């Protein structure tokens, strides 16, 4: 096998929650003595300091980023599964702001509060990525994309409503709110304005894309919820 396409679902408690993130993997002839080449389907968006809009993935394990010798690819030890787990845990994490070079030690500082702003921007990019994937689902993953957004569409819109009501981006998980940063516990007004505008695009995409499905989740133009959710 020379080529692989993989998808990672954004984890709860992060600004990537419920999103789909696709990666193409090429295994060179010298694999597994050298790491695979990984390309991210960005849709032109840089949703993380380690995921470029050109598709480059910066990760020590892939030898595309600096790191200690034990963090880099080790022949006979490192695996493709380890790469995917690292992307989900180290890149698509709860505080992507601190993935920026030199920012890792700012967590908890005044400068570290910028993470809240970064999470807001990241969530908007994540929503844009959802729309991109619904409009242009990667080949062979069309049914998966349909099933995912049919199952999680309501959760996505419920989260949007919670953020409009003031919850911090990334603090939501099944069953309630978790891991709220100290300080200002509400999203910025600019974020709320941007989110309110984008919800219309998101809902219209759900509606346009879901032609033929019997029941879909949606948020009306007046902000009222309906009971017609995907099962």
């Amino acid at each position: 096998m020379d080529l692989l396409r993989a998808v990672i679902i954004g984890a709860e408690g992060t600004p990537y929650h419920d999103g789909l993130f696709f990666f193409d993997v090429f295994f060179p002839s010298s694999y597994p003595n050298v790491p695979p080449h990984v390309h991210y389907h960005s849709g032109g968006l840089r949703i993380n300091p380690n995921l470029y809009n050109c598709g480059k993935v910066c990760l020590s394990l892939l030898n595309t980023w600096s790191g200690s010798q034990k963090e880099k690819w080790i022949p006979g030890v490192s695996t493709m599964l380890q790469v995917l787990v690292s992307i989900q845990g180290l890149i698509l994490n709860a505080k992507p702001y601190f993935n920026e070079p030199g920012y890792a030690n700012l967590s908890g500082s005044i400068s570290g509060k910028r993470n809240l702003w970064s999470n807001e921007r990241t969530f908007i990019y994540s929503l844009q990525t959802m729309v991109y994937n619904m409009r242009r689902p990667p080949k062979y993953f069309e049914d998966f994309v349909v099933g995912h957004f049919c199952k999680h569409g309501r959760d996505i819109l419920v989260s949007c409503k919670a953020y409009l009501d003031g919850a911090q981006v990334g603090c939501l998980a099944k069953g309630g709110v978790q891991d709220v940063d100290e300080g200002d516990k509400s999203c910025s007004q600019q974020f709320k304005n941007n989110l309110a505008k984008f919800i219309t695009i998101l809902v219209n995409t759900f509606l346009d894309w879901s032609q033929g499905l019997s029941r879909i989740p949606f948020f009306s133009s007046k902000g009222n919820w309906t009971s017609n959710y995907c099962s």
Side-chain angles (χ1 to χ4, degrees):
M1 179 177 62
D2 296 327
L3 298 173
L4 173 73
R5 176 163 289 170
V7 58
I8 294 176
I9 300 175
E12 289 183 351
T14 76
Y16 304 101
H17 64 80
D18 299 309
L20 296 180
F21 306 95
F22 288 91
F23 299 84
D24 286 343
V25 183
F26 170 71
F27 298 94
S29 59
S30 51
Y31 176 87
N33 292 321
V34 298
H37 302 302
V38 181
H39 176 86
Y40 168 60
H41 288 233
S42 71
L45 300 170
R46 191 173 182 184
I47 63 169
N48 186 280
N50 295 83
L51 297 176
Y52 286 63
N53 53 11
C54 65
K56 180 180 179 180
V57 179
C58 284
L59 188 67
S60 298
L61 187 58
L62 296 175
N63 295 345
T64 54
W65 187 248
S66 59
S68 66
Q69 196 60 39
K70 66 180 181 180
E71 293 174 325
K72 294 185 177 182
W73 185 266
I74 302 175
V77 176
S78 302
T79 65
M80 186 61 222
L81 176 60
Q82 187 180 356
V83 170
L84 295 175
V85 171
S86 295
I87 291 174
Q88 183 172 47
L90 300 178
I91 296 180
L92 300 174
N93 58 35
K95 298 181 179 181
Y97 174 79
F98 300 113
N99 283 20
E100 286 279 9
Y103 290 3
N105 295 326
L106 294 179
S107 182
S109 68
I110 295 176
S111 297
K113 298 302 180 183
R114 294 179 182 176
N115 174 66
L116 300 179
W117 311 332
S118 176
N119 277 7
E120 293 174 358
R121 180 184 61 187
T122 297
F123 182 67
I124 295 294
Y125 285 164
S126 183
L127 293 180
Q128 292 174 329
T129 301
M130 293 179 193
V131 170
Y132 174 78
N133 285 329
M134 284 188 281
R135 291 176 175 173
R136 300 179 60 183
K139 190 175 182 179
Y140 306 121
F141 280 81
E142 295 89 348
D143 290 345
F144 181 86
V145 172
V146 169
H148 174 82
F149 287 112
C150 184
K151 180 178 179 180
H152 296 282
R154 179 182 183 277
D155 292 336
I156 294 166
L157 294 175
V158 166
S159 296
C160 289
K161 179 65 165 56
Y163 298 148
L164 287 176
D165 289 342
Q168 280 186 10
V169 171
C171 72
L172 300 178
K174 299 295 187 296
V177 176
Q178 65 171 17
D179 194 27
V180 177
D181 284 338
E182 295 181 0
D184 184 5
K185 295 180 173 57
S186 178
C187 293
S188 69
Q189 189 58 50
Q190 181 179 358
F191 167 74
K192 293 177 184 178
N193 293 340
N194 292 338
L195 179 58
K197 294 176 183 177
F198 197 79
I199 283 177
T200 301
I201 297 174
L202 182 64
V203 171
N204 287 338
T205 303
F206 275 136
L207 293 170
D208 293 341
W209 161 85
S210 301
Q211 294 299 321
L213 296 180
S214 59
R215 293 180 298 160
I216 56 175
F218 71 97
F219 190 65
S220 75
S221 59
K222 294 183 179 180
N224 297 319
W225 292 97
T226 77
S227 59
N228 296 323
Y229 299 133
C230 285
S231 57

